[in-house]
């Protein structure tokens, strides 16, 4: 069988794309390649596969001419070795920061005479070899330079030695501003003097002396290998079939998700991805007020992906996939083990004990497939975990860990907008908002989204015992009607139905969207970051599938002025009933830090679940074979009999 048309670009294809780009007349030493990724073929061509294959493999590249501060998008036919289309982005837009720029920005700050002078004045330090510089996007706050220049406002830290946790020693009062196109420090802003926190915040094993004892080995063994099969990036497991994708901007993506049911492959999701996120900080003090990061659109979640390690990031029988990218100068960049695939035991899937048949309880253990990737954006880690279950459930979970972005206090100060975590060291309150794009194809492309609210039956009449409640479905007809937030008072959820396909009881087949923990933004709608991140204004958005509508905050959120993406598209109030619909979900974690989050943060979890809701005729996991029964003695050791 030919390669699935939605598989990501191989290393050879990325190299071929770079070769074509370098033949462009305007390509020169000031050109940065921000990204090269697959331009996905049309849906009808994918659905026709493998009977027929799309014509050629197409790549899309984003380029930045740093001399002219101009961004362009180029489509390339890799099969025919030629340029298909080229267009210039609107004036003033800034594409994603490249990995090269992050390194070069740090070097620019460290060699800056102005920065060295400020450092020596405030701390008596002239040697910058122990200074850490984290690139932070400049954002947009209504200033002309933010509209016309490619800027960053790095955060700086001073290590006590070469392996020290520098994040525990912020240089609070000094903020360099860097023009990335010239790679020069524009100015160094000084806000006063704060002392360096006196205590170390080291967490690395090599820096610790005392470790707890008594942890016995826990082994996960699959002597016959895993139950999934992988052909390139196409995966099959327990009736599931889908394609694993990856790109520089979104990182891990999933495509063409199907479930084999009653001798046919039934479509559920065409594409699932994290489209954007924003991390706004809630401290108005001048050294902290500009901290907000659009980690997908400004930094590229794929470019920040880790090379995962067996026994640490992943446990058990693991299969890895590499990610093939390039740096901004076109050099090959392979992130080995960027994606981890494995199986996990997940407790009881279903069980029943009939008291009349006490010796014959029926129980089936749940096993889930895990597809994951982890990205480090300077101080913070984000783990992205997709789980597939044997009963047809799909779960997405983001795991938040890493190191808090900290600030320094004066002696005797208590932070109003954060929490003291160590002497003279505090963590500002902040939020993490994520937006996921779910392109549903429930048994076909024409779907309708229903909002489900649980309501009580009015007293009296049909409710004499005053105990009745029912689901009130609302079929969403237009984009504006679909805008909604969670509502705990009505246990609000959503159902994606195919009105053209009926199940065994005559109802439309459907999947239910079940939200998890969530938040609302606490910043005013007039806050600049919120103008740029309009997707946080509602938890749920629904749009008709439209090519080019891919990212919740628009194509270029870096230094954007706002109004792009979902807020712009849905203003047209297009029809969405019985259409090829895209369901966008925004979910947020409000982090009020605590001392236990320091020096490195225990993992926090947030996500959602998709559950079949009339998609199957009955429990699809009813056919699972029972597990072998193992009896144990009172001390937990296995007996050799059952």
């Amino acid at each position: 069988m030919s390669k699935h048309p939605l598989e990501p670009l191989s290393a050879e294809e990325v190299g071929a794309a770079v070769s074509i780009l370098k033949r462009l007349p305007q390509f020169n030493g000031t050109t940065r390649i921000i990204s090269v990724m697959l331009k996905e073929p049309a849906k009808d061509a994918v659905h026709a596969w493998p009977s027929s294959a799309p014509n050629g493999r197409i790549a899309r590249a984003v380029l930045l001419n740093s001399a002219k501060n101009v961004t362009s998008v180029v489509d390339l036919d890799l099969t025919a070795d030629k340029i298909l289309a080229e267009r210039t982005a609107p004036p003033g837009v800034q594409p994603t920061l490249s990995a090269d720029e992050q390194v070069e920005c740090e070097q620019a700050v460290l060699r800056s005479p102005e920065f060295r002078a400020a450092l020596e004045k405030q701390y008596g330090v002239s040697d910058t070899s122990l200074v850490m510089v984290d690139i932070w996007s400049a954002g947009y706050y209504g200033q002309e330079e933010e509209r016309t220049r490619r800027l960053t406002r790095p955060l700086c830290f001073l290590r006590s030695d070469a392996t020290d946790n520098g994040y525990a020693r912020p240089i609070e009062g000094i903020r360099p501003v860097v023009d990335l196109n010239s790679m020069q420090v524009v100015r160094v802003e000084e806000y006063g003097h704060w002392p360096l926190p006196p205590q170390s915040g080291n967490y690395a094993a090599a820096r610790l002396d005392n470790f707890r004892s008594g942890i016995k080995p826990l082994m996960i063994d699959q002597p016959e290998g895993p139950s999934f099969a992988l052909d390139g990036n196409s995966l099959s497991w327990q009736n599931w079939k889908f394609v694993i994708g990856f790109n520089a901007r979104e990182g891990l993506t999933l495509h063409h998700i199907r479930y084999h049911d009653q001798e046919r492959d039934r479509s559920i999701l065409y594409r699932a991805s994290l489209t954007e996120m924003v991390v706004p900080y809630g401290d108005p003090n001048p050294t902290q007020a500009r901290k907000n990061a659009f980690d997908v659109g400004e930094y590229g979640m794929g470019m920040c992906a880790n090379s995962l390690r067996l026994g640490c990031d992943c446990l058990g029988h693991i299969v890895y996939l590499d990610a093939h990218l390039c740096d901004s100068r076109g050099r090959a960049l392979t992130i080995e083990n960027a994606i981890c695939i494995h199986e996990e035991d997940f407790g009881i899937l279903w069980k029943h004990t009939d008291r009349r048949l006490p010796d014959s309880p029926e129980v089936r253990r749940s096993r889930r497939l895990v597809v994951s990737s982890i990205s480090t954006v300077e101080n913070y880690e984000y783990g992205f975990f997709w789980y597939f279950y044997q009963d047809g459930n799909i779960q997405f979970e983001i795991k938040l860990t890493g190191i808090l972005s900290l600030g320094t206090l004066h002696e005797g100060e208590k932070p109003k907008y954060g929490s003291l975590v160590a002497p003279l060291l505090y963590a500002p309150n902040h939020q993490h908002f994520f937006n996921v794009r779910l392109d549903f194809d429930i048994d076909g492309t024409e779907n309708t989204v229903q909002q489900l609210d649980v309501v009580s039956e009015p007293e009296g009449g049909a409710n004499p015992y005053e105990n009745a409640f029912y689901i009130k479905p609302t079929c969403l007809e237009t984009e504006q009607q679909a805008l909604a937030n969670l509502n705990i008072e009505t246990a609000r959820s959503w159902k994606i139905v195919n009105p053209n396909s009926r199940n065994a009881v005559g109802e439309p087949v459907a999947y239910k969207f079940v939200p998890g923990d969530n938040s609302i933004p606490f910043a005013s709608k007039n806050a600049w970051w919120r103008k740029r991140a309009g997707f946080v204004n509602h938890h749920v958005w629904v749009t008709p599938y439209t090519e080019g509508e891919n990212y919740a905050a628009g194509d270029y959120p870096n230094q954007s002025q706002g109004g792009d993406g979902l807020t712009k598209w849905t203003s047209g109030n297009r029809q969405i009933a019985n259409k090829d619909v895209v369901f966008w979900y925004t979910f947020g974690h409000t982090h009020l830090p605590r001392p236990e989050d320091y020096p490195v943060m225990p993992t926090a979890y947030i996500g959602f679940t998709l559950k079949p809701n009339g998609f199957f005729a009955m429990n699809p996991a009813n056919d699972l074979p029972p597990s072998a029964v193992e009896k144990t003695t009172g001390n937990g050791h296995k007996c050799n009999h059952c």
Side-chain angles (χ1 to χ4, degrees):
M1 184 180 294
S2 61
K3 180 164 68 173
H4 194 288
L6 293 177
E7 290 210 6
L9 297 180
S10 66
E12 293 74 21
E13 288 175 320
V14 172
V18 170
S19 295
I20 299 172
L21 291 171
K22 288 185 173 180
R23 298 202 301 264
L24 287 168
Q26 69 272 30
F27 195 99
N28 56 43
T30 67
T31 304
R32 288 191 187 271
I33 301 175
I34 301 300
S35 63
V36 176
M37 62 184 71
L38 176 71
K39 185 179 186 297
E40 297 170 15
K43 270 193 179 185
D44 55 359
V46 173
H47 287 308
W49 180 87
S51 299
S52 63
N55 294 323
R57 292 274 283 176
I58 311 301
R60 171 162 288 176
V62 177
L63 304 180
L64 172 67
N65 183 321
S66 57
K68 297 180 179 179
N69 198 28
V70 172
T71 300
S72 59
V73 180
V74 184
D75 289 345
L76 318 161
D77 187 330
L78 302 181
T79 307
D81 189 35
K82 66 178 183 180
I83 300 288
L84 288 179
E86 184 180 357
R87 70 177 186 275
T88 301
V93 303
Q94 294 297 337
T96 305
L97 303 172
S98 68
D100 308 50
E101 288 172 301
Q102 296 184 40
V103 175
E104 293 170 27
C105 176
E106 181 170 43
Q107 295 168 345
V109 172
L110 296 182
R111 68 172 178 261
S112 163
E114 295 87 354
F115 178 78
R116 287 172 177 263
L119 187 67
E120 186 164 17
K121 181 178 73 174
Q122 291 210 23
Y123 297 102
V125 175
S126 57
D127 180 8
T128 60
S129 63
L130 295 178
V131 174
M132 288 171 37
V133 180
D134 276 7
I135 195 170
W136 270 69
S137 54
Y140 183 80
Y141 294 86
Q143 298 177 2
E144 178 67 9
E145 67 174 0
E146 296 161 345
R147 190 182 64 80
T148 58
R149 303 177 77 170
R150 185 169 174 81
L151 298 176
T152 59
R153 302 177 65 88
L155 301 182
C156 301
F157 311 85
L158 183 60
R159 285 179 160 140
S160 60
D161 61 69
T163 64
D164 183 32
N165 171 20
Y167 291 115
R169 291 160 54 89
I171 301 174
E172 185 72 13
I174 302 175
R175 292 287 184 269
V177 180
V178 180
D179 185 320
L180 293 181
N181 283 336
S182 65
M183 208 51 75
Q184 298 291 322
V185 173
V186 174
R187 63 182 176 275
V188 175
E189 299 175 351
E190 296 186 59
Y191 295 93
H193 174 73
W194 281 262
L196 291 171
Q199 291 186 0
S200 67
N202 291 309
Y203 55 89
R207 302 294 296 248
L208 302 178
D209 297 322
N210 299 313
F211 295 94
R212 69 176 65 182
S213 59
I215 303 177
K216 306 297 184 183
L218 177 62
M219 307 303 293
I220 298 174
D221 187 27
Q222 291 183 278
E224 298 180 21
S227 302
F228 59 84
L230 194 63
D231 179 11
N233 280 50
S234 296
L235 190 145
S236 58
W237 176 81
Q238 291 289 291
N239 296 325
W240 290 104
K241 294 181 180 179
F242 56 92
V243 179
I244 301 171
F246 195 94
N247 64 64
R249 181 164 179 164
E250 298 163 295
L252 177 62
T253 58
L254 298 182
H255 306 260
H256 206 191
I257 300 173
R258 295 146 286 158
Y259 193 96
H260 191 73
D261 177 46
Q262 298 179 352
E263 305 305 316
R264 63 189 177 108
D265 289 344
R266 302 178 64 190
S267 61
I268 298 169
L269 272 168
Y270 184 77
R271 195 180 196 276
S273 66
L274 175 74
T275 79
E276 194 51 83
M277 58 175 289
V278 62
V279 187
Y281 283 74
D283 188 337
N285 291 308
T287 59
Q288 300 287 331
R290 288 174 178 261
K291 283 168 61 174
N292 55 81
F294 290 66
D295 289 338
V296 176
E298 289 180 339
Y299 300 99
M301 203 53 71
M303 292 299 294
C304 297
N306 295 178
S307 288
L308 304 176
R309 296 183 295 170
L310 183 62
C312 299
D313 301 297
C314 310
L315 196 62
H317 192 294
I318 307 300
V319 173
Y320 292 106
L321 291 173
D322 298 340
H324 302 292
L325 311 171
C326 67
D327 69 11
S328 74
R329 301 306 182 189
R331 295 172 293 234
L333 174 61
T334 295
I335 303 174
E336 296 181 349
N337 299 352
I339 301 167
C340 171
I341 308 164
H342 70 285
E343 295 174 286
E344 291 179 344
D345 179 271
F346 198 64
I348 294 174
L349 176 58
W350 59 262
K351 179 175 183 175
H352 181 63
T353 300
D354 188 331
R355 67 179 175 84
R356 299 162 190 83
L357 304 169
D359 294 330
S360 302
E362 292 288 341
V363 60
R364 303 293 186 271
R365 291 202 65 78
S366 177
R367 182 181 297 194
R368 66 182 184 182
L369 179 75
V370 188
V371 182
S372 63
S373 179
I374 301 173
S375 294
T376 300
V377 186
E378 299 292 23
N379 59 297
Y380 219 87
E381 264 77 16
Y382 297 98
F384 306 103
F385 288 73
W386 287 96
Y387 298 109
F388 291 82
Y389 295 85
Q390 293 158 309
D391 61 356
N393 285 357
I394 304 172
Q395 180 187 5
F396 181 56
E397 186 173 70
I398 298 178
K399 302 182 181 184
L400 299 84
T401 180
I403 299 178
L404 296 166
S405 183
L406 301 166
T408 308
L409 297 170
H410 293 108
E411 187 69 43
E413 273 189 302
K414 289 188 177 180
K416 179 178 181 180
Y417 305 104
S419 301
L420 192 67
V421 296
L424 304 187
L425 195 64
Y426 82 108
N429 299 333
H430 59 281
Q431 296 183 283
H432 301 257
F433 288 101
F434 307 90
N435 181 272
V436 169
R437 180 182 182 274
L438 302 172
D439 183 354
F440 281 99
D441 281 358
I442 305 293
D443 263 359
T445 56
E446 282 71 41
N447 293 172
T448 295
V449 178
Q450 296 179 349
Q451 180 179 298
L452 307 180
D453 290 284
V454 179
V455 296
S456 299
E457 186 70 40
E459 299 174 8
N463 189 19
Y465 297 100
E466 301 185 8
N467 66 323
F469 59 92
Y470 61 96
I471 297 173
K472 179 184 177 182
T474 302
C475 289
L476 303 175
E477 301 284 341
T478 65
E479 291 176 296
Q480 290 293 309
Q481 184 191 13
L483 301 177
N485 283 345
L486 303 190
N487 186 351
I488 193 172
E489 294 181 349
T490 64
R492 181 170 291 166
S493 60
W494 287 261
K495 191 161 66 171
I496 297 85
V497 308
N498 185 335
N500 315 296
S501 178
R502 300 283 166 166
N503 59 22
V505 293
E507 296 292 328
V509 296
Y511 254 74
K512 186 176 183 180
F513 179 90
V514 182
D517 291 343
N518 211 325
S519 294
I520 60 170
F522 291 106
S524 160
K525 287 188 176 181
N526 295 320
W528 276 110
W529 76 262
R530 194 165 170 185
K531 292 178 182 179
R532 300 167 58 214
F535 63 88
V536 305
N537 293 336
H538 302 284
H539 294 136
V540 166
W541 310 67
V542 183
T543 63
Y545 172 82
T546 305
E547 187 177 359
E549 295 184 1
N550 300 316
Y551 309 116
D555 290 342
Y556 306 105
N558 186 16
Q559 295 180 231
S560 67
Q561 299 175 46
D564 295 329
L566 283 170
T567 53
K568 179 180 180 180
W569 305 328
T570 57
S571 65
N573 201 25
R574 295 167 293 186
Q575 296 291 315
I576 56 173
N578 203 17
K579 302 283 187 182
D580 187 355
V581 294
V582 178
F583 186 95
W584 308 72
Y585 179 58
T586 300
F587 50 114
H589 172 69
T590 299
H591 193 175
L592 306 176
R594 57 204 178 112
E596 291 84 353
D597 292 328
Y598 177 80
V600 64
M601 189 182 109
T603 300
Y605 305 85
I606 188 171
F608 59 85
T609 303
L610 305 175
K611 290 177 172 284
N613 195 179
F615 188 80
F616 299 104
M618 61 175 65
N619 178 358
N622 200 50
D623 61 353
L624 284 179
S627 303
V629 178
E630 296 179 347
K631 289 190 176 181
T632 62
T633 62
N635 61 10
H637 294 294
K638 293 180 183 178
C639 289
N640 58 5
H641 60 84
C642 293

